[in-house]
Amino acid sequence: MNFIIITLVIAFLCNLFGLIYTYLVLYTDFFSKVKIQKRKLQPELFFQRLPLIAFNVFLLFTLSAAGLYLLKDFFILNTVPSVGVFFIQLIAILLIDDLYFYCFHRSLHQNKYLLKKIHSIHHRAATPFPLEYIYVHPLEWIGGAIGSFLAVIILQEVNIYAFWAYVMFRNLHEIDIHSGVRSTISQYIPLLGTTEHHDLHHSKINGNFASTFNIWDKIFGTKIK
Ligand SMILES: [Zn+2]
Ligand SMILES: [Zn+2]
């Protein structure tokens, strides 16, 4: 089960990066010139947020390990994919996962009970910092994790290298769009959700429900103008 351990190491390293990025955003001036948030950051909130963030990182590891074990027959291991297969599978997982996330996230906003009891925790972050991507109610975190496994089941056959790339990309992208730091690379990649796109969701809370891509908000008319 080496592939499960490697997946967990990738997730761990991404979150370690998120911790360093959070430190730089909250406690140094390193990114002060490229911050898009006009609202004031509150560095003291980091230690209040930490227990739930740590618990959800633990959930991330256990859910990933359990999901990968249950779906192990869907993965192609020990075969390096061609460049074409790698990118097609990577984009397919990202698209399916993001469409699922869009529907899930939008329902958390439209159902006032779910918004109040579950999703309002994530929206305590009016001016998010990088690791607040995982500052969510544990039930929301579990519900959101279904998207990637749904993608694997729909595709039926996924090369593990494409899945590892997905884990890395999705994690780093989530960390980035909560950073409040102006998008550099992502603004040049067509249809990719930017920090500006998700930061607007946190400040206005009435649209921009997608995460990885911005197409779903355009298609379903929920883009914040
Ligand atoms: Zn939301
Ligand atoms: Zn968010």
Side-chain angles (χ1 to χ4, degrees):
M1 289 299 147
N2 277 347
F3 82 101
I4 297 178
I5 295 168
I6 295 172
T7 310
L8 298 187
V9 169
I10 292 170
F12 173 79
L13 291 176
C14 289
N15 282 284
L16 185 62
F17 169 80
L19 186 64
I20 296 166
Y21 198 7
T22 297
Y23 171 78
L24 292 173
V25 165
L26 287 180
Y27 298 108
T28 74
D29 289 334
F30 198 76
F31 292 107
S32 57
K33 288 202 170 71
V34 283
K35 290 287 287 176
I36 57 168
Q37 296 159 328
K38 300 286 174 263
R39 293 101 65 201
K40 198 171 155 25
L41 272 170
Q42 294 173 278
E44 67 279 9
L45 286 180
F46 175 71
F47 289 97
Q48 285 180 33
R49 308 288 202 229
L50 200 54
L52 183 56
I53 288 173
F55 181 70
N56 282 336
V57 170
F58 167 75
L59 266 186
L60 167 70
F61 293 151
T62 45
L63 286 175
S64 300
L68 289 170
Y69 182 76
L70 288 172
L71 299 178
K72 58 184 182 303
D73 293 339
F74 292 92
F75 289 102
I76 305 289
L77 309 170
N78 306 318
T79 304
V80 178
S82 66
V83 175
V85 167
F86 175 83
F87 278 107
I88 287 170
Q89 291 193 349
L90 171 60
I91 292 166
I93 303 172
L94 286 169
L95 279 170
I96 295 168
D97 177 42
D98 199 42
L99 178 58
Y100 168 81
F101 178 80
Y102 173 87
C103 298
F104 177 63
H105 186 195
R106 189 172 169 178
S107 70
L108 289 176
H109 277 266
Q110 290 184 331
N111 183 309
K112 295 302 165 210
Y113 180 79
L114 293 177
L115 181 62
K116 189 165 170 245
K117 296 285 182 194
I118 306 274
H119 194 49
S120 61
I121 291 184
H122 186 57
H123 279 286
R124 285 180 196 162
T127 312
F129 56 78
L131 269 186
E132 275 183 316
Y133 91 92
I134 202 169
Y135 185 72
V136 295
H137 191 295
L139 288 177
E140 178 178 339
W141 190 236
I142 293 168
I146 292 169
S148 58
F149 298 124
L150 200 63
V152 172
I153 293 167
I154 290 170
L155 296 174
Q156 289 284 298
E157 198 177 273
V158 174
N159 189 286
I160 195 64
Y161 288 96
F163 190 78
W164 283 336
Y166 156 79
V167 170
M168 195 163 82
F169 184 88
R170 181 85 167 95
N171 252 275
L172 293 178
H173 182 262
E174 274 290 309
I175 288 167
D176 188 45
I177 61 173
H178 287 88
S179 67
V181 172
R182 188 190 307 144
S183 295
T184 48
I185 303 167
S186 53
Q187 66 171 317
Y188 297 110
I189 302 176
L191 311 178
L192 197 66
T194 58
T195 310
E196 290 78 357
H197 176 265
H198 194 65
D199 197 67
L200 214 50
H201 175 69
H202 275 268
S203 63
K204 305 226 161 144
I205 323 182
N206 61 352
N208 287 11
F209 299 115
S211 171
T212 308
F213 300 101
N214 55 32
I215 43 173
W216 312 118
D217 288 299
K218 286 180 184 159
I219 292 171
F220 300 117
T222 51
K223 188 175 184 298
I224 300 175
K225 303 279 184 298

